[in-house]
Amino acid sequence: MGSMDRSKRRNRLWKKALLHFALCFVVGFFTGFAPPSTATFFSGGPAERRPVRSIGILPAAPGDVVERVVEPGVAVNRSMVEIPRSVPAATGGNGDVGDDPPPDMEGAGAPGPQAPSRRLLIIVTTTRSNDRFQGAFLRRLAHTLRLVPPPLLWIVVQAHAEAPATAAMLRTTGVMYRHLTFRENITDPAAEAHHQRNVALSHVEYHRLTGIVHFAGASNVYDLRFFDEIREIEVFGTWPVAVVSENRKRVVVDGPICHSSKVEGWILKDLSNDRRLLVTSSDVSSRPPNINISGFAFNSSILWDPERWGRPTSLPDTSQDSIRFVYEIILEDETKLKGIPADCSKIMVWHLYMPRVIPLPFHYQNPR
């Protein structure tokens, strides 16, 4: 009996060993036919394999500043301090708004139609020299422009000596921008602003930046719906502007009187004593004495393709005074003006009149 029990135990051990060997062989055999997978115990299923289309690297900090200076006598290719933008916008064929060379005049045709909601907004802001509030106003305007749906390009023009501090601020705004500078020493504030506008328009013309141009003062306040409205402009657009002066305690409305987007007259009314804005026939003039610089916008292609908009000839000095050229086109044919909004009944732009504040020199006094 003892020998039979020992033989049965040996048979059981061999059977267990053969069974384990067979199971391991079957598992290993079928595992070899299974496709490779990146699935883990923490994933709900096999990981999907998708082709890699592109690999992008976000820079930790903007690149070096590229600086070019306006040379005297250069009429078109204005110089600039151009800082790499902080957000992209699809304004060109490759989605870049870099400092590319101008297109060939022979090969450049008329730009095709573009959806109004996707038109590029070109916001031009001039600056004042030695204004200690300038940085605060620019930053506040940047916060407003950051809320506007793209595409939008902010062009800031400034004297060369004051550019570095503004350039550092513009890098942090999150708005696509171009920072242009000039070296001319201009003492008259009005002449300086006029020159800065020409610098900006020359840059727009040279690089064929197609969009709607608007001159936004650093101290302007906007209703965000305003930017949607001016994207609907085909040639020229205009609207009433409220000029607010805290020191003088005045509110002046300057702009058009419209009927169904058609300009029928112009007003310049002081609301300091009459806040109801009751417009009488005596308040309306047929032609504006002077259009507020923040009260109009225009299609930028008028600068290099005036024939497209029904103007066969241009002024002899348009290359030197582009803003004057735009003013004359507006005043010579008011039928091309589109009132914004439809009946010009809403104030969507407020211009805060701020006196020029020059920083006082700091004198150190040794305490005794």
Side-chain angles (χ1 to χ4, degrees):
M1 292 296 293
S3 60
M4 293 180 62
D5 292 338
R6 285 195 295 270
S7 61
K8 290 181 179 180
R9 292 174 184 173
R10 291 174 184 173
N11 292 335
R12 291 174 185 171
L13 292 175
W14 278 106
K15 288 180 181 179
K16 289 182 180 179
L18 290 174
L19 180 61
H20 290 169
F21 175 78
L23 289 175
C24 292
F25 177 79
V26 171
V27 172
F29 180 80
F30 286 104
T31 303
F33 288 97
S37 174
T38 57
T40 65
F41 291 107
F42 302 98
S43 60
E48 297 182 2
R49 291 176 173 247
R50 299 180 181 178
V52 178
R53 296 182 179 179
S54 62
I55 297 177
I57 299 176
L58 295 178
D64 296 334
V65 175
V66 180
E67 178 177 344
R68 298 186 183 93
V69 181
V70 177
E71 299 294 339
V74 178
V76 178
N77 188 8
R78 302 287 182 178
S79 82
M80 69 198 107
V81 174
E82 185 163 345
I83 314 300
R85 63 187 183 278
S86 50
V87 291
T91 57
N94 58 353
D96 192 6
V97 195
D99 190 10
D100 298 327
D104 188 4
M105 294 296 293
E106 296 180 358
Q114 189 178 15
S117 60
R118 298 300 300 168
R119 284 199 180 110
L120 172 67
L121 294 181
I122 305 173
I123 308 299
V124 178
T125 300
T126 60
T127 58
R128 297 187 295 185
S129 301
N130 298 323
D131 190 346
R132 64 179 180 179
F133 293 145
Q134 191 74 65
F137 282 132
L138 288 175
R139 186 173 292 278
R140 184 177 59 83
L141 181 58
H143 291 327
T144 300
L145 298 181
R146 191 173 182 177
L147 300 176
V148 180
L152 181 144
L153 175 63
W154 188 22
I155 298 180
V156 180
V157 190
Q158 193 172 28
H160 178 79
E162 301 180 359
T166 302
M169 184 274 295
L170 291 175
R171 294 191 193 100
T172 64
T173 59
V175 179
M176 185 174 66
Y177 68 94
R178 291 188 178 181
H179 192 192
L180 313 183
T181 68
F182 61 95
R183 285 191 180 274
E184 287 81 356
N185 185 16
I186 305 175
T187 57
D188 183 14
E192 182 183 28
H194 187 86
H195 175 71
Q196 292 183 34
R197 295 176 190 124
N198 281 323
V199 170
L201 293 183
S202 296
H203 181 82
V204 171
E205 179 181 2
Y206 179 76
H207 294 281
R208 299 292 180 90
L209 302 179
T210 302
I212 304 300
V213 180
H214 167 58
F215 295 97
S219 61
N220 283 8
V221 178
Y222 290 94
D223 185 329
L224 288 178
R225 294 172 296 178
F226 165 80
F227 298 98
D228 295 329
E229 293 281 352
I230 64 175
R231 277 197 165 108
E232 305 292 332
I233 294 175
E234 294 295 335
V235 188
F236 296 99
T238 184
W239 52 85
V241 178
V243 182
V244 183
S245 175
E246 180 181 1
N247 295 339
R248 301 178 183 178
K249 297 182 180 180
R250 293 183 61 192
V251 178
V252 178
V253 175
D254 182 10
I257 297 293
C258 308
H259 178 69
S260 298
S261 298
K262 181 181 179 181
V263 177
E264 296 185 341
W266 302 84
I267 62 169
L268 180 62
K269 189 175 179 62
D270 190 345
L271 301 182
S272 302
N273 299 322
D274 183 6
R275 301 181 180 181
R276 295 175 295 174
L277 189 56
L278 298 177
V279 179
T280 62
S281 58
S282 60
D283 299 324
V284 181
S285 59
S286 57
R287 294 183 64 83
N290 190 17
I291 299 180
N292 191 303
I293 192 65
S294 296
F296 71 93
F298 62 95
N299 193 311
S300 62
S301 63
I302 192 67
L303 297 173
W304 63 80
D305 191 11
E307 295 184 1
R308 179 186 175 191
W309 306 110
R311 183 180 174 86
T313 58
S314 59
L315 296 176
D317 59 346
T318 56
S319 61
Q320 298 292 337
D321 202 344
S322 299
I323 187 63
R324 178 187 170 192
F325 171 65
V326 173
Y327 264 128
E328 294 206 5
I329 296 178
I330 294 176
L331 295 177
E332 75 180 7
D333 189 3
E334 296 182 6
T335 60
K336 297 179 180 179
L337 289 173
K338 176 184 179 180
I340 295 176
D343 54 356
C344 300
S345 61
K346 297 180 181 179
I347 303 295
M348 307 183 79
V349 180
W350 293 263
H351 175 70
L352 304 181
Y353 174 79
M354 298 294 295
R356 186 177 182 181
V357 180
I358 301 176
L360 298 176
F362 176 76
H363 299 283
Y364 177 75
Q365 295 180 357
N366 187 14
R368 296 181 180 178

PDB file of all heavy atoms in Angstrom, residues 197-223:
ATOM      1  N   ARG A 197       0.512 110.448 -36.886  1.00  0.00           N
ATOM      2  CA  ARG A 197      -0.520 109.807 -37.708  1.00  0.00           C
ATOM      3  C   ARG A 197       0.010 109.498 -39.104  1.00  0.00           C
ATOM      4  O   ARG A 197      -0.309 108.457 -39.685  1.00  0.00           O
ATOM      5  CB  ARG A 197      -1.761 110.693 -37.771  1.00  0.00           C
ATOM      6  CG  ARG A 197      -2.447 110.851 -36.417  1.00  0.00           C
ATOM      7  CD  ARG A 197      -3.604 111.808 -36.461  1.00  0.00           C
ATOM      8  NE  ARG A 197      -4.066 112.108 -35.104  1.00  0.00           N
ATOM      9  CZ  ARG A 197      -4.162 113.324 -34.601  1.00  0.00           C
ATOM     10  NH1 ARG A 197      -3.846 114.390 -35.349  1.00  0.00           N
ATOM     11  NH2 ARG A 197      -4.571 113.511 -33.356  1.00  0.00           N
ATOM     12  N   ASN A 198       0.798 110.398 -39.656  1.00  0.00           N
ATOM     13  CA  ASN A 198       1.391 110.133 -40.965  1.00  0.00           C
ATOM     14  C   ASN A 198       2.378 108.977 -40.912  1.00  0.00           C
ATOM     15  O   ASN A 198       2.475 108.188 -41.852  1.00  0.00           O
ATOM     16  CB  ASN A 198       2.085 111.393 -41.493  1.00  0.00           C
ATOM     17  CG  ASN A 198       1.107 112.390 -42.090  1.00  0.00           C
ATOM     18  OD1 ASN A 198       0.130 112.000 -42.727  1.00  0.00           O
ATOM     19  ND2 ASN A 198       1.347 113.662 -41.877  1.00  0.00           N
ATOM     20  N   VAL A 199       3.130 108.862 -39.817  1.00  0.00           N
ATOM     21  CA  VAL A 199       4.042 107.732 -39.658  1.00  0.00           C
ATOM     22  C   VAL A 199       3.252 106.423 -39.669  1.00  0.00           C
ATOM     23  O   VAL A 199       3.629 105.444 -40.340  1.00  0.00           O
ATOM     24  CB  VAL A 199       4.863 107.872 -38.356  1.00  0.00           C
ATOM     25  CG1 VAL A 199       5.623 106.590 -38.051  1.00  0.00           C
ATOM     26  CG2 VAL A 199       5.836 109.039 -38.466  1.00  0.00           C
ATOM     27  N   ALA A 200       2.140 106.385 -38.940  1.00  0.00           N
ATOM     28  CA  ALA A 200       1.332 105.162 -38.878  1.00  0.00           C
ATOM     29  C   ALA A 200       0.712 104.839 -40.231  1.00  0.00           C
ATOM     30  O   ALA A 200       0.740 103.675 -40.679  1.00  0.00           O
ATOM     31  CB  ALA A 200       0.243 105.322 -37.816  1.00  0.00           C
ATOM     32  N   LEU A 201       0.149 105.844 -40.915  1.00  0.00           N
ATOM     33  CA  LEU A 201      -0.495 105.591 -42.203  1.00  0.00           C
ATOM     34  C   LEU A 201       0.528 105.187 -43.261  1.00  0.00           C
ATOM     35  O   LEU A 201       0.222 104.372 -44.142  1.00  0.00           O
ATOM     36  CB  LEU A 201      -1.272 106.830 -42.655  1.00  0.00           C
ATOM     37  CG  LEU A 201      -2.493 107.198 -41.803  1.00  0.00           C
ATOM     38  CD1 LEU A 201      -3.218 108.387 -42.394  1.00  0.00           C
ATOM     39  CD2 LEU A 201      -3.441 106.011 -41.651  1.00  0.00           C
ATOM     40  N   SER A 202       1.735 105.740 -43.193  1.00  0.00           N
ATOM     41  CA  SER A 202       2.779 105.331 -44.133  1.00  0.00           C
ATOM     42  C   SER A 202       3.158 103.878 -43.919  1.00  0.00           C
ATOM     43  O   SER A 202       3.423 103.139 -44.874  1.00  0.00           O
ATOM     44  CB  SER A 202       4.006 106.240 -43.974  1.00  0.00           C
ATOM     45  OG  SER A 202       3.699 107.571 -44.317  1.00  0.00           O
ATOM     46  N   HIS A 203       3.172 103.461 -42.659  1.00  0.00           N
ATOM     47  CA  HIS A 203       3.467 102.055 -42.352  1.00  0.00           C
ATOM     48  C   HIS A 203       2.357 101.147 -42.886  1.00  0.00           C
ATOM     49  O   HIS A 203       2.637 100.087 -43.464  1.00  0.00           O
ATOM     50  CB  HIS A 203       3.612 101.892 -40.840  1.00  0.00           C
ATOM     51  CG  HIS A 203       3.932 100.500 -40.413  1.00  0.00           C
ATOM     52  ND1 HIS A 203       5.197  99.984 -40.429  1.00  0.00           N
ATOM     53  CD2 HIS A 203       3.119  99.497 -39.961  1.00  0.00           C
ATOM     54  CE1 HIS A 203       5.172  98.728 -40.006  1.00  0.00           C
ATOM     55  NE2 HIS A 203       3.928  98.414 -39.703  1.00  0.00           N
ATOM     56  N   VAL A 204       1.120 101.552 -42.711  1.00  0.00           N
ATOM     57  CA  VAL A 204      -0.016 100.766 -43.215  1.00  0.00           C
ATOM     58  C   VAL A 204       0.036 100.679 -44.730  1.00  0.00           C
ATOM     59  O   VAL A 204      -0.190  99.606 -45.320  1.00  0.00           O
ATOM     60  CB  VAL A 204      -1.347 101.387 -42.740  1.00  0.00           C
ATOM     61  CG1 VAL A 204      -2.533 100.722 -43.418  1.00  0.00           C
ATOM     62  CG2 VAL A 204      -1.484 101.273 -41.231  1.00  0.00           C
ATOM     63  N   GLU A 205       0.345 101.798 -45.381  1.00  0.00           N
ATOM     64  CA  GLU A 205       0.393 101.819 -46.842  1.00  0.00           C
ATOM     65  C   GLU A 205       1.546 100.976 -47.375  1.00  0.00           C
ATOM     66  O   GLU A 205       1.397 100.222 -48.332  1.00  0.00           O
ATOM     67  CB  GLU A 205       0.523 103.262 -47.324  1.00  0.00           C
ATOM     68  CG  GLU A 205       0.616 103.393 -48.844  1.00  0.00           C
ATOM     69  CD  GLU A 205       0.776 104.836 -49.287  1.00  0.00           C
ATOM     70  OE1 GLU A 205       0.850 105.717 -48.408  1.00  0.00           O
ATOM     71  OE2 GLU A 205       0.840 105.070 -50.500  1.00  0.00           O
ATOM     72  N   TYR A 206       2.706 101.097 -46.767  1.00  0.00           N
ATOM     73  CA  TYR A 206       3.895 100.392 -47.254  1.00  0.00           C
ATOM     74  C   TYR A 206       3.728  98.871 -47.143  1.00  0.00           C
ATOM     75  O   TYR A 206       4.120  98.129 -48.037  1.00  0.00           O
ATOM     76  CB  TYR A 206       5.113 100.839 -46.449  1.00  0.00           C
ATOM     77  CG  TYR A 206       6.402 100.153 -46.852  1.00  0.00           C
ATOM     78  CD1 TYR A 206       7.076 100.520 -48.018  1.00  0.00           C
ATOM     79  CD2 TYR A 206       6.939  99.132 -46.071  1.00  0.00           C
ATOM     80  CE1 TYR A 206       8.248  99.892 -48.389  1.00  0.00           C
ATOM     81  CE2 TYR A 206       8.112  98.491 -46.439  1.00  0.00           C
ATOM     82  CZ  TYR A 206       8.762  98.886 -47.596  1.00  0.00           C
ATOM     83  OH  TYR A 206       9.925  98.252 -47.958  1.00  0.00           O
ATOM     84  N   HIS A 207       3.124  98.407 -46.054  1.00  0.00           N
ATOM     85  CA  HIS A 207       2.963  96.971 -45.831  1.00  0.00           C
ATOM     86  C   HIS A 207       1.609  96.447 -46.299  1.00  0.00           C
ATOM     87  O   HIS A 207       1.309  95.268 -46.080  1.00  0.00           O
ATOM     88  CB  HIS A 207       3.156  96.646 -44.352  1.00  0.00           C
ATOM     89  CG  HIS A 207       4.549  96.896 -43.868  1.00  0.00           C
ATOM     90  ND1 HIS A 207       5.583  96.028 -44.102  1.00  0.00           N
ATOM     91  CD2 HIS A 207       5.088  97.936 -43.186  1.00  0.00           C
ATOM     92  CE1 HIS A 207       6.705  96.503 -43.574  1.00  0.00           C
ATOM     93  NE2 HIS A 207       6.421  97.657 -43.009  1.00  0.00           N
ATOM     94  N   ARG A 208       0.799  97.300 -46.924  1.00  0.00           N
ATOM     95  CA  ARG A 208      -0.500  96.901 -47.462  1.00  0.00           C
ATOM     96  C   ARG A 208      -1.333  96.158 -46.405  1.00  0.00           C
ATOM     97  O   ARG A 208      -1.831  95.048 -46.641  1.00  0.00           O
ATOM     98  CB  ARG A 208      -0.324  96.016 -48.693  1.00  0.00           C
ATOM     99  CG  ARG A 208       0.424  96.688 -49.853  1.00  0.00           C
ATOM    100  CD  ARG A 208      -0.414  97.816 -50.446  1.00  0.00           C
ATOM    101  NE  ARG A 208       0.265  98.469 -51.556  1.00  0.00           N
ATOM    102  CZ  ARG A 208       0.162  98.101 -52.829  1.00  0.00           C
ATOM    103  NH1 ARG A 208      -0.584  97.058 -53.146  1.00  0.00           N
ATOM    104  NH2 ARG A 208       0.787  98.763 -53.776  1.00  0.00           N
ATOM    105  N   LEU A 209      -1.457  96.770 -45.241  1.00  0.00           N
ATOM    106  CA  LEU A 209      -2.268  96.172 -44.176  1.00  0.00           C
ATOM    107  C   LEU A 209      -3.737  96.500 -44.452  1.00  0.00           C
ATOM    108  O   LEU A 209      -4.188  97.619 -44.234  1.00  0.00           O
ATOM    109  CB  LEU A 209      -1.844  96.718 -42.811  1.00  0.00           C
ATOM    110  CG  LEU A 209      -0.381  96.507 -42.435  1.00  0.00           C
ATOM    111  CD1 LEU A 209      -0.091  97.122 -41.071  1.00  0.00           C
ATOM    112  CD2 LEU A 209      -0.038  95.023 -42.423  1.00  0.00           C
ATOM    113  N   THR A 210      -4.463  95.535 -44.949  1.00  0.00           N
ATOM    114  CA  THR A 210      -5.856  95.755 -45.345  1.00  0.00           C
ATOM    115  C   THR A 210      -6.764  95.585 -44.139  1.00  0.00           C
ATOM    116  O   THR A 210      -6.782  94.532 -43.497  1.00  0.00           O
ATOM    117  CB  THR A 210      -6.255  94.755 -46.444  1.00  0.00           C
ATOM    118  OG1 THR A 210      -5.365  94.903 -47.556  1.00  0.00           O
ATOM    119  CG2 THR A 210      -7.677  95.020 -46.907  1.00  0.00           C
ATOM    120  N   GLY A 211      -7.508  96.638 -43.829  1.00  0.00           N
ATOM    121  CA  GLY A 211      -8.428  96.595 -42.696  1.00  0.00           C
ATOM    122  C   GLY A 211      -9.102  97.938 -42.520  1.00  0.00           C
ATOM    123  O   GLY A 211      -9.060  98.805 -43.392  1.00  0.00           O
ATOM    124  N   ILE A 212      -9.723  98.121 -41.373  1.00  0.00           N
ATOM    125  CA  ILE A 212     -10.414  99.364 -41.023  1.00  0.00           C
ATOM    126  C   ILE A 212      -9.530 100.121 -40.042  1.00  0.00           C
ATOM    127  O   ILE A 212      -9.208  99.617 -38.968  1.00  0.00           O
ATOM    128  CB  ILE A 212     -11.793  99.081 -40.401  1.00  0.00           C
ATOM    129  CG1 ILE A 212     -12.635  98.215 -41.351  1.00  0.00           C
ATOM    130  CG2 ILE A 212     -12.505 100.382 -40.075  1.00  0.00           C
ATOM    131  CD1 ILE A 212     -12.897  98.844 -42.708  1.00  0.00           C
ATOM    132  N   VAL A 213      -9.147 101.345 -40.414  1.00  0.00           N
ATOM    133  CA  VAL A 213      -8.251 102.167 -39.608  1.00  0.00           C
ATOM    134  C   VAL A 213      -9.069 103.100 -38.730  1.00  0.00           C
ATOM    135  O   VAL A 213      -9.983 103.779 -39.205  1.00  0.00           O
ATOM    136  CB  VAL A 213      -7.292 102.989 -40.500  1.00  0.00           C
ATOM    137  CG1 VAL A 213      -6.364 103.847 -39.642  1.00  0.00           C
ATOM    138  CG2 VAL A 213      -6.476 102.065 -41.390  1.00  0.00           C
ATOM    139  N   HIS A 214      -8.712 103.119 -37.452  1.00  0.00           N
ATOM    140  CA  HIS A 214      -9.356 104.033 -36.495  1.00  0.00           C
ATOM    141  C   HIS A 214      -8.284 104.632 -35.594  1.00  0.00           C
ATOM    142  O   HIS A 214      -7.390 103.917 -35.117  1.00  0.00           O
ATOM    143  CB  HIS A 214     -10.393 103.294 -35.651  1.00  0.00           C
ATOM    144  CG  HIS A 214     -10.871 104.064 -34.462  1.00  0.00           C
ATOM    145  ND1 HIS A 214     -11.458 105.316 -34.559  1.00  0.00           N
ATOM    146  CD2 HIS A 214     -10.829 103.768 -33.128  1.00  0.00           C
ATOM    147  CE1 HIS A 214     -11.764 105.753 -33.343  1.00  0.00           C
ATOM    148  NE2 HIS A 214     -11.385 104.838 -32.467  1.00  0.00           N
ATOM    149  N   PHE A 215      -8.361 105.936 -35.382  1.00  0.00           N
ATOM    150  CA  PHE A 215      -7.421 106.630 -34.507  1.00  0.00           C
ATOM    151  C   PHE A 215      -8.015 106.677 -33.097  1.00  0.00           C
ATOM    152  O   PHE A 215      -8.985 107.405 -32.851  1.00  0.00           O
ATOM    153  CB  PHE A 215      -7.143 108.041 -35.032  1.00  0.00           C
ATOM    154  CG  PHE A 215      -6.452 108.055 -36.358  1.00  0.00           C
ATOM    155  CD1 PHE A 215      -7.172 108.203 -37.535  1.00  0.00           C
ATOM    156  CD2 PHE A 215      -5.076 107.911 -36.443  1.00  0.00           C
ATOM    157  CE1 PHE A 215      -6.541 108.210 -38.766  1.00  0.00           C
ATOM    158  CE2 PHE A 215      -4.427 107.922 -37.670  1.00  0.00           C
ATOM    159  CZ  PHE A 215      -5.161 108.067 -38.831  1.00  0.00           C
ATOM    160  N   ALA A 216      -7.428 105.898 -32.216  1.00  0.00           N
ATOM    161  CA  ALA A 216      -7.920 105.792 -30.842  1.00  0.00           C
ATOM    162  C   ALA A 216      -6.990 106.543 -29.913  1.00  0.00           C
ATOM    163  O   ALA A 216      -5.821 106.166 -29.756  1.00  0.00           O
ATOM    164  CB  ALA A 216      -8.016 104.322 -30.426  1.00  0.00           C
ATOM    165  N   GLY A 217      -7.498 107.598 -29.313  1.00  0.00           N
ATOM    166  CA  GLY A 217      -6.703 108.327 -28.338  1.00  0.00           C
ATOM    167  C   GLY A 217      -6.455 107.480 -27.098  1.00  0.00           C
ATOM    168  O   GLY A 217      -7.291 106.654 -26.708  1.00  0.00           O
ATOM    169  N   ALA A 218      -5.305 107.693 -26.478  1.00  0.00           N
ATOM    170  CA  ALA A 218      -4.971 106.891 -25.295  1.00  0.00           C
ATOM    171  C   ALA A 218      -5.966 107.105 -24.167  1.00  0.00           C
ATOM    172  O   ALA A 218      -6.173 106.212 -23.341  1.00  0.00           O
ATOM    173  CB  ALA A 218      -3.560 107.221 -24.823  1.00  0.00           C
ATOM    174  N   SER A 219      -6.613 108.265 -24.132  1.00  0.00           N
ATOM    175  CA  SER A 219      -7.569 108.556 -23.060  1.00  0.00           C
ATOM    176  C   SER A 219      -9.012 108.261 -23.454  1.00  0.00           C
ATOM    177  O   SER A 219      -9.929 108.614 -22.723  1.00  0.00           O
ATOM    178  CB  SER A 219      -7.448 110.029 -22.645  1.00  0.00           C
ATOM    179  OG  SER A 219      -7.748 110.881 -23.736  1.00  0.00           O
ATOM    180  N   ASN A 220      -9.224 107.615 -24.603  1.00  0.00           N
ATOM    181  CA  ASN A 220     -10.585 107.308 -25.049  1.00  0.00           C
ATOM    182  C   ASN A 220     -11.207 106.190 -24.215  1.00  0.00           C
ATOM    183  O   ASN A 220     -10.506 105.312 -23.712  1.00  0.00           O
ATOM    184  CB  ASN A 220     -10.593 106.899 -26.519  1.00  0.00           C
ATOM    185  CG  ASN A 220     -10.453 108.082 -27.455  1.00  0.00           C
ATOM    186  OD1 ASN A 220     -10.197 109.198 -27.014  1.00  0.00           O
ATOM    187  ND2 ASN A 220     -10.595 107.842 -28.745  1.00  0.00           N
ATOM    188  N   VAL A 221     -12.531 106.243 -24.110  1.00  0.00           N
ATOM    189  CA  VAL A 221     -13.323 105.200 -23.455  1.00  0.00           C
ATOM    190  C   VAL A 221     -14.320 104.676 -24.475  1.00  0.00           C
ATOM    191  O   VAL A 221     -14.955 105.465 -25.187  1.00  0.00           O
ATOM    192  CB  VAL A 221     -14.053 105.744 -22.209  1.00  0.00           C
ATOM    193  CG1 VAL A 221     -14.903 104.661 -21.570  1.00  0.00           C
ATOM    194  CG2 VAL A 221     -13.052 106.296 -21.205  1.00  0.00           C
ATOM    195  N   TYR A 222     -14.457 103.342 -24.559  1.00  0.00           N
ATOM    196  CA  TYR A 222     -15.244 102.737 -25.632  1.00  0.00           C
ATOM    197  C   TYR A 222     -16.325 101.812 -25.085  1.00  0.00           C
ATOM    198  O   TYR A 222     -16.131 101.144 -24.064  1.00  0.00           O
ATOM    199  CB  TYR A 222     -14.337 101.913 -26.554  1.00  0.00           C
ATOM    200  CG  TYR A 222     -13.405 102.744 -27.400  1.00  0.00           C
ATOM    201  CD1 TYR A 222     -12.112 103.020 -26.967  1.00  0.00           C
ATOM    202  CD2 TYR A 222     -13.815 103.246 -28.633  1.00  0.00           C
ATOM    203  CE1 TYR A 222     -11.245 103.781 -27.736  1.00  0.00           C
ATOM    204  CE2 TYR A 222     -12.954 104.008 -29.410  1.00  0.00           C
ATOM    205  CZ  TYR A 222     -11.684 104.270 -28.961  1.00  0.00           C
ATOM    206  OH  TYR A 222     -10.840 105.026 -29.727  1.00  0.00           O
ATOM    207  N   ASP A 223     -17.444 101.797 -25.808  1.00  0.00           N
ATOM    208  CA  ASP A 223     -18.421 100.726 -25.703  1.00  0.00           C
ATOM    209  C   ASP A 223     -17.922  99.604 -26.616  1.00  0.00           C
ATOM    210  O   ASP A 223     -17.639  99.832 -27.795  1.00  0.00           O
ATOM    211  CB  ASP A 223     -19.788 101.234 -26.168  1.00  0.00           C
ATOM    212  CG  ASP A 223     -20.894 100.206 -25.981  1.00  0.00           C
ATOM    213  OD1 ASP A 223     -20.603  98.996 -26.061  1.00  0.00           O
ATOM    214  OD2 ASP A 223     -22.053 100.606 -25.778  1.00  0.00           O
TER     215      ASP A 223
END
